[in-house]
Amino acid sequence: MTSEQLADRAPGRGRAAAGVARLSYPQPDVTVCTVAGDVDMVTRPALAERLRAAMGDDNRHLVIDLSAVAYFGSTGLHTLVEILDEHQGRGHLAVVLDANARAAASLRATGLDKVFDLHRELASALRACRSG
């Protein structure tokens, strides 16, 4: 199967990949990347670009909010691990997600729930950044 055929079979084919994530700055020295919809091979490049843009600003702390993610494939896990590796030594990296969501299940199944600083709500992640 070609990569084009795989892309055609990807969940949510045809949606705008660039709309998967947006950045906000709710407190000093913190960037929040809010991710919505599906994280798959179609949206991965846009998400990775947006997360790298977040790391390119002057804020030390990064919060990745996955609480509105409907589908979270292995490419999403790969992206999180890449960003964690690239963010090392810069400041705090926190991830917000619904404990019952697909993203949480994926992180638990791979043991990555022990690697990331996970939070059930954005306020908790922001407090962790203030103390971190």
Side-chain angles (χ1 to χ4, degrees):
M1 185 173 283
T2 68
S3 61
E4 285 179 41
Q5 289 169 321
L6 284 171
D8 285 340
R9 296 177 66 137
R13 176 74 176 160
R15 71 199 177 291
V20 73
R22 65 178 173 78
L23 301 180
S24 60
Y25 308 91
Q27 68 189 38
D29 213 22
V30 176
T31 301
V32 174
C33 182
T34 303
V35 185
D38 296 341
V39 177
D40 55 30
M41 62 188 281
V42 174
T43 59
R44 181 193 189 286
L47 175 59
E49 180 181 316
R50 189 59 53 102
L51 288 168
R52 286 189 178 92
M55 289 189 308
D57 64 23
D58 291 334
N59 293 333
R60 290 184 331 113
H61 308 291
L62 174 61
V63 176
I64 304 170
D65 186 349
L66 301 175
S67 59
V69 169
Y71 175 82
F72 194 79
S74 62
T75 57
L77 291 172
H78 181 79
T79 302
L80 286 181
V81 170
E82 280 182 342
I83 296 304
L84 177 66
D85 187 49
E86 293 174 25
H87 196 265
Q88 294 236 257
R90 295 183 48 129
H92 193 139
L93 174 67
V95 177
V96 177
L97 46 80
D98 178 341
N100 299 316
R102 171 101 186 210
S106 296
L107 287 167
R108 280 191 302 272
T110 58
L112 290 172
D113 60 328
K114 308 286 190 268
V115 175
F116 288 95
D117 178 26
L118 301 180
H119 298 267
R120 290 186 180 195
E121 57 187 38
L122 181 58
S124 171
L126 293 174
R127 281 192 302 276
C129 289
R130 279 194 296 269
S131 64

